[in-house]
Amino acid sequence: MKVNNQLIHRPKFVWIVGLIALSIFIGAGLRQIVLHQRQAEVAMRGAQVMPFDLEKTTHHFEPLSDGGLQTVVADAPIDPEQVKLIQSHLEEETAKFQTGDFSDPAAIHGNAMPGLKQLRAGYRDMTVEYTALPDGGQIRYTAQQPTLVTAVHDWFAAQRSDHGHHAE
């Protein structure tokens, strides 16, 4: 077979293309295994920090132009125990974040979590506000500095990935 005036040996060409496809397939599979393993580790560590049941709640991380909105809700809004646990936890976390204490997310996700270093350093230039919701609670992060806004977005993306099916 000739392509662009070059002779290509079909069996060798097919073998190489097949090998590339197999490598991509195996690589994707390994990435999924590593991701699922990380999500399981995060869920285990999260259970030690978060008092509510991850299997009965959902995290939402919404990036906004000036920061972001983190919401945690009970999957069954008529579950007053989970709602109360969510609200008390988010209220406590907000108080810690307002002083630059991000030790709980670091305990769950690790100190190298994207955005965490910038949030710790820039907490004075960011507003962190808690609001109770009928089915849980939310924390609103607001910043004027683009680096802090990016840090919130990076931090949210890492949490969405780490929490897997527990997050949207």
Side-chain angles (χ1 to χ4, degrees), residues 2-167:
K2 279 191 171 186
V3 175
N4 294 335
N5 294 326
Q6 291 182 322
L7 184 63
I8 295 182
H9 299 282
R10 193 174 288 254
K12 187 175 182 181
F13 178 74
V14 171
W15 183 82
I16 291 171
V17 169
L19 186 60
I20 291 170
L22 181 61
S23 297
I24 291 170
F25 180 74
I26 290 172
L30 288 175
R31 280 191 297 278
Q32 282 300 106
I33 290 169
V34 169
L35 179 62
H36 287 309
Q37 181 179 359
R38 171 141 177 96
Q39 289 171 349
E41 291 169 1
V42 165
M44 187 177 68
R45 289 190 302 264
Q48 297 169 358
V49 174
M50 296 179 283
F52 49 85
D53 187 338
L54 282 175
E55 295 300 326
K56 295 180 180 180
T57 59
T58 302
H59 288 70
H60 301 271
F61 299 97
E62 181 182 352
L64 302 171
S65 62
D66 63 350
L69 183 65
Q70 173 184 0
T71 307
V72 182
V73 296
D75 293 338
I78 58 170
D79 187 345
E81 179 185 355
Q82 292 305 312
V83 171
K84 183 178 176 181
L85 291 170
I86 291 166
Q87 291 173 342
S88 65
H89 176 70
L90 292 183
E91 193 168 17
E92 290 171 11
E93 290 300 289
T94 298
K96 289 180 179 181
F97 297 162
Q98 290 170 339
T99 64
D101 180 354
F102 289 83
S103 58
D104 286 344
I108 297 169
H109 302 275
N111 278 314
M113 182 180 193
L116 195 57
K117 180 180 176 182
Q118 295 85 350
L119 294 174
R120 283 178 166 155
Y123 77 92
R124 287 184 181 93
D125 298 319
M126 184 171 56
T127 303
V128 182
E129 298 173 305
Y130 165 76
T131 304
L133 301 173
D135 57 350
Q138 64 185 20
I139 303 175
R140 174 74 161 94
Y141 304 86
T142 308
Q144 300 301 315
Q145 296 178 4
T147 55
L148 280 175
V149 172
T150 299
V152 170
H153 293 179
D154 292 346
W155 189 51
F156 277 13
Q159 290 188 73
R160 275 192 306 273
S161 175
D162 280 355
H163 285 297
H165 71 278
H166 298 124

